[in-house]
Amino acid sequence: MRLPLVVIALIAGFILWDHFANDGAYSADVQRSFREASLDLPGGGGWWKPPTITVNRDAFKP
C-alpha cells in the first residue's frame, strides 16, 4: 500500500515543482511530444471523425 502512495506523492511533487519552479516547462514539453506523436497515428492531426454509415439504395430496388 505504501508504494502506490509514494508514486502518487512523487507525481504530485513533480507537477508542483514543474508548475512553480519551471513555469510548466516540462509538462509543456510532454504535451508537445504527445501532440507530435498523435500526428503519426492513422487519421493524424487529432481530428477525430465519427464513423459514417452508408446505405446502398440500389440493393433495395426490385
Side-chain angles (χ1 to χ4, degrees), residues 11 14 16 19 22 24 29-30 34 36 38-40 46 50-51 53:
I11 292 171
F14 172 76
L16 291 173
H19 178 73
N22 294 321
D29 199 26
V30 169
F34 272 100
E36 290 172 358
S38 71
L39 293 174
D40 293 336
I53 298 172

